[in-house]
Amino acid sequence: MFRHTARLLLSLVMLMAAALAGVVATAGTAQADGCYTWSRTLSQGASGADVTELQIRVAGHPGYGGVLAIDGDYGPATTAAVKRFQSAYGLGADGVAGSATFSKLYALQDDDCTPVHFTYRELNNCNSTWAGGAVSAATAKSNALRTMWKLEALRHALGDQPITVTRGFRSQACNDAVGGAAGSRHLYGDAADLGAGPHSLCKLAQQARNHGFNGILGPGYPGHRDHTHLDHRASRFWSASSCGI
């Protein structure tokens, strides 16, 4: 009788210990995310699809005039962008993407991978398919996602106040209807026009220089009195003479 009771108690203790160990293990593991979940710590020298996913989300932190390559290779530029992202959100800025960095990214993204303050619908008031532009529908939508993450960085740098996107992707038909330029970046899905709100158009253009946009057009550039235009063109072209750019 005594030995039976002792074995029973021992079994209960072991079960409780195993349950507790499971809770501790779960507490130390990053929670799965509806969009994307990183499964390893990333640092300089790493490469792969998980690095690409990280680069997309920190590309808005390249430093003044910088543009982070989304190439899947964790080099010095990615390390520097991660450090700026970490510093911007009050994390230890060591340039290593670990659980704290990933947790912040999870908090910043919705299940469709867009940052929490922007949506695909905002970046496309032309059609629902992303088709008909200068690139495939998939590429246009992917370009818009990258734009949104840069806008999220811009928004945070400006005190987390709303940014109004007035125009994004255009098909050729939509571009023709509004008299857009033949080579408009809107046809590629990588452009966003911003309207004034909590911040002036000049403030938006000036701050955008820190967030990975090669194209910045604003007040003082022909046809841009009422908006600031940002895009990912191949080489830098900044012009907003009324804003000192």
Side-chain angles (χ1 to χ4, degrees):
M1 177 70 176
F2 173 78
R3 279 184 291 184
H4 176 74
T5 303
R7 284 198 299 270
L8 181 60
L9 288 172
L10 179 60
S11 297
L12 289 171
V13 169
M14 292 176 68
L15 285 171
M16 292 175 66
L20 180 60
V23 170
V24 172
T26 301
T29 303
Q31 183 177 355
D33 184 75
C35 163
Y36 185 86
T37 301
W38 285 270
S39 60
R40 59 170 178 157
T41 296
L42 298 174
S43 59
Q44 191 162 322
S47 63
D50 49 0
V51 175
T52 299
E53 294 292 339
L54 175 66
Q55 289 172 326
I56 289 170
R57 290 155 180 78
V58 301
H61 302 268
Y64 182 90
V67 177
L68 180 65
I70 312 298
D71 57 8
D73 291 325
Y74 205 123
T78 299
T79 300
V82 170
K83 285 182 178 180
R84 292 188 187 95
F85 172 85
Q86 292 167 330
S87 179
Y89 286 97
L91 306 177
D94 59 3
V96 175
S99 59
T101 299
F102 297 143
S103 291
K104 174 51 66 176
L105 289 173
Y106 297 149
L108 285 173
Q109 68 183 14
D110 286 327
D111 285 352
D112 65 354
C113 299
T114 59
V116 293
H117 297 108
F118 297 93
T119 67
Y120 281 118
R121 186 174 180 179
E122 286 180 275
L123 271 289
N124 182 357
N125 54 15
C126 170
N127 61 39
S128 61
T129 64
W130 298 86
V135 293
S136 70
T139 297
K141 190 172 183 180
S142 176
N143 287 342
L145 180 65
R146 298 181 184 196
T147 298
M148 282 186 270
W149 278 101
K150 293 183 179 185
L151 291 176
E152 184 70 27
L154 173 63
R155 185 185 190 279
H156 183 64
L158 290 173
D160 282 317
Q161 293 179 301
I163 289 177
T164 301
V165 179
T166 59
R167 287 177 290 273
F169 168 75
R170 295 177 190 152
S171 68
Q172 190 64 60
C174 289
N175 195 57
D176 291 345
V178 298
S184 171
R185 295 309 305 182
H186 291 283
L187 294 166
Y188 295 81
D190 68 7
D193 290 347
L194 310 182
H199 310 291
S200 68
L201 296 178
C202 279
K203 184 65 175 178
L204 292 168
Q206 291 161 351
Q207 185 62 42
R209 294 175 294 181
N210 299 300
H211 299 292
F213 292 102
N214 259 342
I216 303 176
L217 306 174
Y221 186 78
H224 288 69
R225 293 178 57 187
D226 63 348
H227 68 281
T228 289
H229 169 97
L230 307 175
D231 67 50
H232 301 161
R233 67 188 65 198
S235 58
R236 185 189 298 180
F237 183 73
W238 294 351
S239 184
S241 58
S242 297
C243 309
I245 298 174

